Amino acid sequence: QSQLVESGGGLVQPGGSLRLSCAASGFTKGNYVIGWFRQAPGKEREGVSFISSRGGTTNYADSMKGRFTISRDNAKNTVYLQMNSLKPEDTAVYYCAAAADLGRTYYYWSRWTEYNYWGQGTQVTVSS
């Protein structure tokens, strides 16, 4: 069965870095896009970043630009989210999600309803 598993979350001080991983299985290699989302207590799920099936297109929410970097290694079926200069407001559960590379998701990437498969999430806590 298709499955996504996030890892790499944890506790980090403000200004620190963390790298999240999203391991995919059961998908046709190279034919799915990945979005990273996060949800903090009391807040709605928001799009963090996006990467196309081959990694040629990436997108970021404005507040993450310059701090977060998404990448993927299709040989390892893994997508990464490198998070630098972390802030307390980055504290949230981070999820990766997958969708078929249909094209429309390139524009609507930050809408969680575009994705069909979700991981269980990994907690990121930024605190002194």
Side-chain angles (χ1 to χ4, degrees), residues 37-128:
F37 292 79
R38 69 184 185 186
Q39 188 162 25
K43 300 182 67 176
E44 295 185 349
R45 191 180 310 175
E46 64 174 333
V48 174
S49 188
F50 166 89
I51 190 165
S52 59
S53 59
R54 300 181 68 178
T57 299
T58 59
N59 289 305
Y60 303 91
D62 287 343
S63 62
M64 290 85 177
K65 290 180 180 177
R67 299 191 299 124
F68 291 8
T69 302
I70 190 170
S71 62
R72 68 189 297 163
D73 185 342
N74 284 344
K76 297 181 179 179
N77 297 312
T78 302
V79 175
Y80 305 97
L81 182 68
Q82 178 67 45
M83 305 186 295
N84 299 324
S85 302
L86 285 164
K87 307 172 182 179
E89 50 263 44
D90 294 319
T91 296
V93 177
Y94 284 71
Y95 302 88
C96 64
D101 191 348
L102 300 177
R104 59 169 282 134
T105 310
Y106 286 60
Y107 185 80
Y108 297 108
W109 70 269
S110 62
R111 298 183 180 182
W112 64 269
T113 52
E114 292 292 310
Y115 300 84
N116 306 109
Y117 302 93
W118 292 83
Q120 294 296 104
T122 185
Q123 177 71 49
V124 172
T125 302
V126 185
S127 176
S128 298

